Amino acid sequence: MDVLIYILVGITGACFGSFANVLIYRLPNNMSIVSPDSHCVSCNHPISWYDNLPIISYIILRGRCRYCKAKFSPRYMIVELLTAILFCLALMWFGINYYTIIVCLALVTMLAIFFIDWEHQIIPDSLVIALLVCGIASMFFSNVVWWERLVGFAGCGLILFLIGLLTSKIAKKDALGFGDVKLVAVCGLLVGYKAGLLAIFMASVFAGIYLLFIKIVKKQSIDKPFGFAPFLTLAFAICMFFGDIIVKWYFGLFAI
């Protein structure tokens, strides 16, 4: 029975991943997420339901359009597979309850923000609002007290704003977009101020590692603008699962 539940949750996650792919492609292009129906962007031929099955259709078609043979981005299957895994992890970690549903919806939204900001350096307000709704709902169904979430909403957003302001002054150019501040604020509402501060620190470390990789391994200039939201969403997703554990471990180091 447990295996069947995980299979059903994984399939549900893959379907939500398919919807996340719609958001990733259409929102930056100011397209409706409802119409037109799914179609090949190369030949505009509508994609039939049997060619639009998450993960399976991509494998069967070998990542190509059935009609014009144009290649589909591997991101489509990656996103669907990731959401399936994340949904199963959420079920395993939080159990069967309303909070797990909220976590799953938040993770799908974060995944969409990750790829949109990575490719386009923008964070759609609609996705930030979706995370805000998840954050408000989580106040009623989690073990993090409500005031810690409100402090996370106000405090984490303010701290990132001040960091961005200071960094911009030092670099003498805009170093952080206001979209990142809004994202951190709503994610702070999701996880509380303790895990929120941890996530900001983790995201900064992730971004630093990425810049070192670009500079040392790829030998490219790091002056080119890049999105910070992918690192933020990754850090906050980790903190949704392990934030409390990491925070308790850290403060435990100073316990007498």
Side-chain angles (χ1 to χ4, degrees):
M1 182 61 70
D2 288 344
V3 174
L4 179 60
I5 291 174
Y6 277 102
I7 291 174
L8 292 174
V9 169
I11 292 173
T12 303
C15 292
F16 272 88
S18 182
F19 178 65
N21 278 320
V22 173
L23 299 176
I24 292 167
Y25 176 73
R26 297 193 181 192
L27 288 181
N29 293 300
N30 295 317
M31 297 172 61
S32 169
I33 62 173
V34 178
S35 63
D37 293 337
S38 297
H39 60 279
C40 173
V41 296
S42 296
C43 66
N44 288 321
H45 195 288
I47 297 177
S48 303
W49 68 267
Y50 49 80
D51 286 337
N52 208 21
L53 299 175
I55 303 174
I56 297 174
S57 292
Y58 189 94
I59 296 174
I60 292 174
L61 296 173
R62 297 181 180 179
R64 293 180 179 273
C65 173
R66 179 184 294 275
Y67 306 97
C68 70
K69 306 304 179 183
K71 285 186 177 182
F72 293 141
S73 170
R75 187 202 70 218
Y76 291 105
M77 189 177 74
I78 291 172
V79 170
E80 291 165 355
L81 186 59
L82 275 175
T83 50
I85 293 172
L86 288 171
F87 272 42
C88 289
L89 285 176
L91 175 63
M92 180 177 66
W93 196 256
F94 300 107
I96 302 176
N97 51 60
Y98 289 116
Y99 183 65
T100 301
I101 297 174
I102 296 168
V103 168
C104 288
L105 293 176
L107 289 171
V108 171
T109 308
M110 288 181 181
L111 197 59
I113 291 173
F114 180 103
F115 284 99
I116 290 174
D117 198 51
W118 186 270
E119 295 178 10
H120 303 280
Q121 285 79 58
I122 59 173
I123 305 174
D125 285 338
S126 56
L127 296 182
V128 175
I129 293 173
L131 280 179
L132 175 62
V133 173
C134 290
I136 294 172
S138 69
M139 295 176 68
F140 301 96
F141 298 106
S142 79
N143 57 359
V144 179
V145 295
W146 64 270
W147 65 265
E148 287 191 7
R149 293 183 178 277
L150 290 180
V151 172
F153 176 76
C156 292
L158 177 61
I159 286 173
L160 190 68
F161 173 76
L162 294 175
I163 291 174
L165 190 64
L166 179 61
T167 306
S168 298
K169 291 289 185 180
I170 295 173
K172 296 182 179 179
K173 62 179 180 180
D174 290 338
L176 197 68
F178 191 65
D180 295 314
V181 175
K182 292 186 289 186
L183 175 63
V184 165
V186 296
C187 286
L189 184 63
L190 267 170
V191 301
Y193 74 91
K194 295 176 184 177
L197 293 175
L198 173 64
I200 294 174
F201 172 75
M202 290 174 61
S204 302
V205 172
F206 294 156
I209 293 172
Y210 169 74
L211 291 176
L212 286 175
F213 174 80
I214 293 297
K215 180 70 174 179
I216 298 174
V217 179
K218 288 199 169 185
K219 300 186 184 303
Q220 297 177 359
S221 172
I222 59 175
D223 292 333
K224 183 180 178 180
F226 67 96
F228 190 40
F231 307 104
L232 287 170
T233 51
L234 175 60
F236 273 102
I238 292 173
C239 285
M240 287 183 74
F241 289 95
F242 308 109
D244 288 344
I245 295 175
I246 297 173
V247 169
K248 288 178 181 177
W249 167 80
Y250 176 76
F251 283 107
L253 295 176
F254 303 97
I256 300 175

